Amino acid sequence: MKTNQMMHVDLGGFRLDIEHKTGLGNLTSLWAYGNELRVKAGKSPLGLENYLRTPEICEYIVEIERFLQNAVDFKGESSLVVNTGLEPLENSTSTEISARESKDRDNLSIEYSARGDTAKVVGGKLTCLKTKRGRYAGTWANIYILIDAAMKLDPAFKVRVVDTFIKGKILEYRDQSGDGYKALCAVMDDAGMIKDKWDYSTIAQAIAFNVLGTRQRELWNLASKEQLAERDRLEGNLTFAVKNGYITTVVQVIKAINTA
């Protein structure tokens, strides 16, 4: 799935905005929620800027950037499915982006304060940490930093973050389920089943209603990992059935979805 979707992932009392392709999530909102947990536990809130200026996190950021550089294959494309922070920019080839980011990463270094208690990363543009403006204003960071921040704030919160993004693979499921729909449409096109452009919308709405209980397709970015996995399974079964001639009309596809 090429489109970078903005997901809104439930972490048990908190919903995190995160881009499913880049793995960049809203660190500002995650930090605010973590501080709420600290206050409820009788602990003092922590400052995000102070966290980002610690020598440990600066060293961690540099290592993340080096890791991301090593995760790029000889074609200049990320070898990771998600969470790389290497989504190609518009009107630029992945090879051009790779060369540009590789140069930036090679120039990264850390400046430590005289006392050594604070630091900052200098010498290049970061891909794992950036500032956004507008609707999603704040500091955004990739999943490696989000997990570290959750641990810093509250150990139980970290467990939820790890379970959702690492064990649960929710970003990967979002990617696969989107690709599954495209594959289904492709085999239906090849079979000459699509007679009207509205057939695509009807099928998409039927799948959404079966899995989510609503025909509002935009709610996939609010779906749980279980719902995304179910969507992927359903679309895969439909693709197999159409490809092998078990289903030959759009009406049969809709009926199969409604009875699945």
Side-chain angles (χ1 to χ4, degrees):
M1 186 175 182
K2 294 183 179 181
T3 306
N4 190 24
Q5 297 290 326
M6 180 65 72
M7 295 189 67
H8 314 286
V9 179
D10 181 59
L11 294 173
F14 165 68
R15 185 171 287 170
L16 176 68
D17 296 330
I18 186 168
E19 298 173 350
H20 99 284
K21 273 287 191 182
T22 67
L24 288 171
N26 194 327
L27 177 60
T28 298
S29 63
L30 179 142
W31 195 269
Y33 177 71
N35 270 332
E36 289 179 14
L37 296 178
R38 291 182 63 84
V39 171
K40 289 179 181 178
K43 301 177 182 178
S44 299
L46 301 176
L48 176 56
E49 290 304 317
N50 292 337
Y51 165 75
L52 293 174
R53 292 296 302 272
T54 61
E56 293 79 13
I57 192 60
C58 290
E59 292 162 3
Y60 185 44
I61 288 171
V62 170
E63 289 305 317
I64 291 172
E65 294 292 342
R66 288 172 179 166
F67 171 76
L68 295 180
Q69 181 176 0
N70 292 332
V72 176
D73 64 22
F74 67 94
K75 293 181 181 179
E77 298 173 342
S78 172
S79 62
L80 302 180
V81 177
V82 293
N83 300 340
T84 63
L86 293 176
E87 184 71 3
L89 301 175
E90 294 182 3
N91 303 319
S92 298
T93 66
S94 57
T95 302
E96 291 171 343
I97 297 299
S98 175
R100 188 186 313 154
E101 291 178 341
S102 178
K103 182 178 180 181
D104 279 343
R105 292 186 178 115
D106 288 340
N107 293 330
L108 290 178
S109 62
I110 301 173
E111 287 185 358
Y112 296 91
S113 65
R115 295 172 54 183
D117 55 347
T118 61
K120 63 179 179 179
V121 180
V122 298
K125 183 179 179 181
L126 300 176
T127 59
C128 67
L129 190 70
K130 69 178 185 179
T131 301
K132 284 193 175 190
R133 300 183 183 217
R135 179 181 177 184
Y136 295 107
T139 299
W140 286 61
N142 76 5
I143 197 66
Y144 304 107
I145 297 174
L146 295 175
I147 291 174
D148 185 80
M151 177 61 207
K152 182 73 174 179
L153 292 161
D154 183 82
F157 185 37
K158 180 188 177 182
V159 171
R160 274 184 272 166
V161 173
V162 170
D163 182 68
T164 300
F165 292 105
I166 306 302
K167 183 181 177 182
K169 299 181 179 180
I170 192 168
L171 301 185
E172 187 173 347
Y173 276 127
R174 181 66 181 91
D175 206 46
Q176 291 174 351
S177 62
D179 287 340
Y181 175 71
K182 290 182 178 180
L184 173 60
C185 291
V187 296
M188 292 179 66
D189 277 337
D190 291 342
M193 294 168 56
I194 301 296
K195 305 301 182 182
D196 188 286
K197 66 178 182 179
W198 295 108
D199 289 340
Y200 296 114
S201 179
T202 301
I203 292 168
Q205 288 178 6
I207 293 173
F209 188 77
N210 176 282
V211 179
L212 301 175
T214 176
R215 299 187 187 279
Q216 299 181 51
R217 291 168 291 163
E218 64 272 15
L219 294 184
W220 285 121
N221 289 335
L222 291 170
S224 67
K225 60 185 179 184
E226 291 80 12
Q227 290 171 323
L228 292 172
E230 175 58 21
R231 177 191 178 185
D232 188 45
R233 183 198 67 77
L234 176 59
E235 291 170 344
N237 288 344
L238 291 169
T239 300
F240 176 84
V242 172
K243 195 171 184 179
N244 289 278
Y246 300 116
I247 293 178
T248 58
T249 68
V250 171
V251 172
Q252 290 176 336
V253 171
I254 300 299
K255 183 177 180 179
I257 294 171
N258 292 337
T259 58

